[in-house]
Amino acid sequence: MSETAVAHGHDHHDHDHKPSGFFRRWCMSTNHKDIGTLYLIFSLTMLFVGGAMALVIRAELWQPGLQFVDPHFFNQMTTMHALIMVFGAVMPGFVGFANWMVPLMVGAPDMALPRMNNWSFWILPFAFTILIISFFVPGGAPAAGWTLYAPLTIQGGMSVDMAIVAIHMMGISSIMGAINIIVTTLNMRAPGMTLMKMPMFVWTWLITAFLLIAVMPVFAGAVTMLLTDRHFGTAFFNPAGGGDPVLYQHIFWFFGHPEVYIMILPAFGIISQIIPTFSRKPLFGYSSMVFATAAIAFLSFIVWAHHMFTVGMPLQGELFFMYATMLISVPTGVKLFNWVTTMWRGSMTFETPMLYAIGVVFLFTMGGLSGLMLAITPADFQYHDTYFVVAHFHYVLFAGAVMAMMGGAFFWLPKWTGHMYNETLGKIHFWLTTIFFNITFFPQHFLGLAGMPRRYADYPLQFTEFNQWSSFGAFGLGLSQLLFVYIVVSTVRGGKKATTEVWDNPEGLEWTVPSPAPFHTFDQPPVVR
Amino acid sequence: MSTTQTSGIGLRPDKLVIQLTVIAVVMFGFGYALVPLYEAFCRVTGFGGKTDVIAEVEAQQAIALNRDVAVTFTSHSHTSLPWEFRPLTKGLDVKVGEVQDAYFYVKNYSNRPITGLSTFNVTPPRAGFHFKKTECFCFTQQVLQPGEEREMLVRFMLDSALPEDVHELTLSYTFFDNEKYAGK
Ligand code: HEM
Ligand SMILES: [Cu+2]
């Protein structure tokens, strides 16, 4: 990416014209920074709600037999944990980053559609209130797995309907957010900021936004069909009326696989901002990064049935989806090598964001490799629906997506708050998270290979030891996140003043505005050369 | 509403918003379009062990080949349905191209009339396409009075394009409670 230089002299005044009063400032906000903050707080809250559910799961799995919860409640925990993490923690978290950073990175004064931005955020608390209240209706929360497979979800109590309504609401929220991001990047870039000069984070989000618009409506359609199957006499998925349950799986995964890339592409973007900064080199292979991202997004539409190898597809289908899936590792490999090459011979330093970035590159690759193992059709017959799959997607989703967000938070926290976080505590948090993460999820590979199925509250005796490692790690991982909250809160409250640049000669427009970023930035568009 | 700036690709923001919204709406429709698309795909390829239908006359005109295939019949009644449902014809050695009959037995053990509908499936799936039925109880809703029992007929043939390496196949039926959909 070429050098960006900025015409200075825009607003350096101190009075920010923030709206007065809590309600007007936050509930009626149309400011991209405030809304970004709201998204991030929401995401962090959901991380703890979903995390608490994970700890219920791990507590129950500490020993064989049933100790704390009954199997039905256990199933509610796995289902709700996943729904909350996917739709409540990861997706809104990345939208929060986009809100804060995309306008700052492209030199825009705000998001293109500020009023819609307010709506897309404020739908979320209502959606999740509905989802969580479903614990208290007769029969309890949905317990059929986050994939909501029919025909199981055609049975089930009122909670399934509540989940469907909640999914519709968060779908609308994500689509509005995506539209906003696309319009902002396509229309509001500062003069001179051509598409191929945009920071990688903006590129990854632009592509993610298109994925969102393409597949969230498909998911909305799938759950609407579920709803009408349940109540209005249609039979899309109900074999009793001539429907086909396998069809649900196809529609779900047509959404579901692009969805996993929706959750990882913005993480790639964050990593691509952090690594060059602390390697003191421009990102290696910028344009190949852009094309690799686009290629991943495109391929993500033609691999969905790797989640369904065992439903009884014809051989040609199994082969097609196997090779298509493996093909994705080519553009993914391009990205990995570019990151490594960016670090190569750079004058690297290892501040907390960089530790996170390197951790993500390493651990995500492990998740990618287990993904490749799962993509081998005949092997997947053995691994499918075991803990091996659980290990795989936690390597890509926790170590990939969530840890990238943590790294991003440390990276931009000084810009957001105007204070430096405590570097020592940051590093401790990184190591605690990484170590406990691996203690939690690495043994799950072995459990899966040995045949322990996922989504059961009990297990045979021989799995005890690995499960105890996993449960021990999970509690450590959960507790370590309290340190994250502590660091963030104390950085908001005070700390060493951050400079405008924050880091050592970082590249990008966000480092040209003062820290903390004033309420209004780029009222006069900067000039990018 | 929106703050426009000088650069960008020059599309008016409201136009772009409308275009993107249209994409979203179309994709919602696409989710529904997958239903008939999937149906058509399965019909054309025989995917999922779907079977095919032909007219009686056409079947009678087919030429029987000297190639034996062992056909096994299995059946279940879904747990929600208080019916007994079992094949009377357990298995047949069928010549390719020859029209054959198989019988099933069904009884309603409950004290109320119930509408049932049966689904079917052939294994291996790639043989399904060449399993041609001329008559089957599975095409229509079946109403059984309390205690009523019935024998039901499937008339079928295997067409000559059945893959060479298929020497045995299974036809499986499941009866579901169709009350919810009765009269539709
Ligand atoms: C090299 C890249 C990848 C490959 C080859 C791959 C392959 C697979 C395969 C074959 C499965 C199905 C396993 C089974 O159910 O038997 C799977 C499951 C899964 N993958 Fe990946 N994957 C890759 C990357 C990712 C990424 C980047 C994410 C998310 C950020 C992800 C998230 C998931 C999730 C959530 C599941 C489990 C879904 C469920 O059944 O609940 N994967 N992956
Ligand atoms: Cu997938």
Side-chain angles (χ1 to χ4, degrees), chain A residues 107-109 112 186-191 214 217-218 221 224-225 229 233-234 238-241 244 246-247 250 254 314 525, chain B residues 1-3 5-9 11 13 16-17 20 24 27-28 30-32 35 38 47 50 117 119 176-178 180-181 184:
Chain A
L186 292 188
N187 276 315
M188 309 253 302
R189 276 173 288 124
V218 176
T224 310
M225 287 183 235
D229 268 17
T234 61
N238 191 351
D244 190 337
V246 175
L247 175 62
H250 280 292
F254 183 85
Chain B
M1 171 177 73
S2 59
T3 23
Q5 238 176 307
T6 38
S7 125
I9 56 172
L11 273 174
L16 189 55
V17 173
L20 294 171
M27 287 311 289
F28 184 78
F30 179 75
Y32 275 84
V35 179
Y38 179 73
F47 177 91
K50 290 267 190 306
L117 184 79
T119 61
F176 288 93
D177 185 344
N178 193 248
K180 208 169 138 187
Y181 306 96
K184 284 210 177 120

Side-chain angles (χ1 to χ4, degrees), chain B:
Chain B
M1 171 177 73
S2 59
T3 23
T4 331
Q5 238 176 307
T6 38
S7 125
I9 56 172
L11 273 174
R12 284 187 34 235
D14 5 353
K15 206 171 151 205
L16 189 55
V17 173
I18 291 168
Q19 286 170 346
L20 294 171
T21 313
V22 168
I23 299 181
V25 174
V26 168
M27 287 311 289
F28 184 78
F30 179 75
Y32 275 84
L34 283 173
V35 179
L37 282 176
Y38 179 73
E39 277 282 325
F41 181 79
C42 293
R43 211 172 333 102
V44 173
T45 60
F47 177 91
K50 290 267 190 306
T51 60
D52 203 5
V53 190
I54 53 168
E56 179 84 37
V57 275
E58 211 183 314
Q60 297 295 356
Q61 282 163 359
I63 303 155
L65 304 177
N66 193 15
R67 179 179 156 205
D68 275 328
V69 177
V71 181
T72 311
F73 301 94
T74 66
S75 62
H76 312 268
S77 128
H78 189 255
T79 40
S80 62
L81 188 64
W83 288 9
E84 179 182 351
F85 178 37
R86 58 185 161 85
L88 293 172
T89 321
K90 303 280 187 242
L92 287 173
D93 280 331
V94 182
K95 291 209 184 318
V96 171
E98 166 191 58
V99 178
Q100 283 277 14
D101 289 351
Y103 292 91
F104 290 77
Y105 171 86
V106 60
K107 177 168 183 181
N108 180 356
Y109 275 103
S110 76
N111 53 11
R112 60 197 165 94
I114 301 181
T115 313
L117 184 79
S118 144
T119 61
F120 52 87
N121 173 281
V122 169
T123 321
R126 68 205 155 96
F129 200 42
H130 307 285
F131 194 101
K132 313 265 183 189
K133 292 186 240 185
T134 67
E135 212 179 312
C136 179
F137 57 88
C138 52
F139 300 138
T140 46
Q141 290 170 334
Q142 306 287 330
V143 187
L144 290 192
Q145 298 306 318
E148 185 183 344
E149 52 187 348
R150 202 181 279 173
E151 266 183 30
M152 296 183 304
L153 165 72
V154 183
R155 179 165 291 157
F156 68 94
M157 63 163 276
L158 302 174
D159 76 20
S160 54
L162 183 75
E164 284 293 331
D165 57 337
V166 175
H167 304 296
E168 48 191 36
L169 54 83
T170 307
L171 176 63
S172 161
Y173 284 102
T174 308
F175 249 117
F176 288 93
D177 185 344
N178 193 248
E179 276 305 302
K180 208 169 138 187
Y181 306 96
K184 284 210 177 120

Side-chain angles (χ1 to χ4, degrees), chain A residues 146-147 253 257 260-261 263-264 306-307 309 325 328-329 332 364 367-368 371-372 374-375 380 383-385 389 392-393 396-397 454-455:
Chain A
W146 80 282
T147 52
W253 288 116
H257 188 82
V260 306
Y261 281 95
M263 294 190 280
I264 201 66
H306 65 212
H307 296 274
F309 281 141
T325 303
I328 295 201
S329 48
T332 313
F364 174 81
L372 275 174
L374 291 167
D380 186 66
Y383 306 152
H384 180 60
D385 268 349
V389 178
H392 158 67
F393 65 69
V396 284
L397 280 174
R454 62 193 277 209
R455 294 172 174 155

Side-chain angles (χ1 to χ4, degrees), chain A residues 134-442:
Chain A
S134 74
F135 273 110
F136 306 103
V137 302
W146 80 282
T147 52
L148 301 174
Y149 274 5
L152 191 53
T153 37
I154 295 174
Q155 309 159 12
M158 193 182 150
S159 64
V160 179
D161 304 316
M162 297 170 76
I164 290 172
V165 172
I167 286 170
H168 278 142
M169 291 168 71
M170 43 215 186
I172 290 171
S173 157
S174 322
I175 290 169
M176 294 203 300
I179 290 179
N180 219 336
I181 288 166
I182 294 176
V183 180
T184 308
T185 38
L186 292 188
N187 276 315
M188 309 253 302
R189 276 173 288 124
M193 172 73 72
T194 60
L195 282 177
M196 290 310 274
K197 275 189 195 165
M198 290 196 314
M200 260 327 277
F201 178 71
V202 181
W203 256 116
T204 53
W205 240 116
L206 179 64
I207 292 170
T208 303
F210 275 105
L211 283 181
L212 275 169
I213 292 181
V215 299
M216 284 311 289
V218 176
F219 187 33
V223 294
T224 310
M225 287 183 235
L226 264 185
L227 193 70
T228 55
D229 268 17
R230 285 167 58 82
H231 298 296
F232 304 108
T234 61
F236 290 104
F237 309 129
N238 191 351
D244 190 337
V246 175
L247 175 62
Y248 177 83
Q249 299 190 19
H250 280 292
I251 303 179
F252 180 85
W253 288 116
F254 183 85
F255 147 79
H257 188 82
E259 166 69 14
V260 306
Y261 281 95
I262 287 168
M263 294 190 280
I264 201 66
L265 291 183
F268 289 173
I270 293 177
I271 298 307
S272 305
Q273 300 302 128
I274 296 177
I275 288 180
T277 306
F278 297 97
S279 307
R280 292 165 182 79
K281 275 173 66 189
L283 185 65
F284 182 86
Y286 170 82
S287 52
S288 70
M289 283 300 224
V290 173
F291 290 115
T293 312
I296 292 176
F298 172 75
L299 288 174
S300 71
F301 283 101
I302 55 163
V303 298
W304 75 89
H306 65 212
H307 296 274
M308 313 169 46
F309 281 141
T310 56
V311 296
M313 272 189 290
L315 185 63
Q316 297 90 322
E318 309 260 14
L319 287 173
F320 173 81
F321 286 108
M322 173 166 96
Y323 289 124
T325 303
M326 291 182 168
L327 207 59
I328 295 201
S329 48
V330 176
T332 313
V334 169
K335 298 190 82 88
L336 288 171
F337 284 118
N338 281 347
W339 288 324
V340 174
T341 318
T342 307
M343 289 187 259
W344 179 254
R345 294 195 166 162
S347 29
M348 287 166 73
T349 50
F350 300 92
E351 286 85 343
T352 311
M354 186 61 164
L355 289 180
Y356 268 102
I358 296 172
V360 169
V361 171
F362 186 75
L363 295 173
F364 174 81
T365 307
M366 288 175 56
L369 292 177
S370 58
L372 275 174
M373 289 172 71
L374 291 167
I376 304 168
T377 308
D380 186 66
F381 274 68
Q382 171 79 16
Y383 306 152
H384 180 60
D385 268 349
T386 68
Y387 264 82
F388 192 82
V389 178
V390 179
H392 158 67
F393 65 69
H394 283 93
Y395 268 80
V396 284
L397 280 174
F398 189 91
V402 176
M403 281 176 61
M405 282 201 268
M406 289 171 174
F410 284 114
F411 188 48
W412 284 305
L413 210 50
K415 182 56 63 188
W416 297 340
T417 62
H419 303 127
M420 298 305 284
Y421 59 88
N422 182 325
E423 194 63 63
T424 317
L425 288 183
K427 285 182 175 158
I428 292 174
H429 177 253
F430 167 77
W431 286 110
L432 286 176
T433 302
T434 305
I435 291 168
F436 281 122
F437 167 79
N438 281 290
I439 297 177
T440 310
F441 292 106
F442 205 78

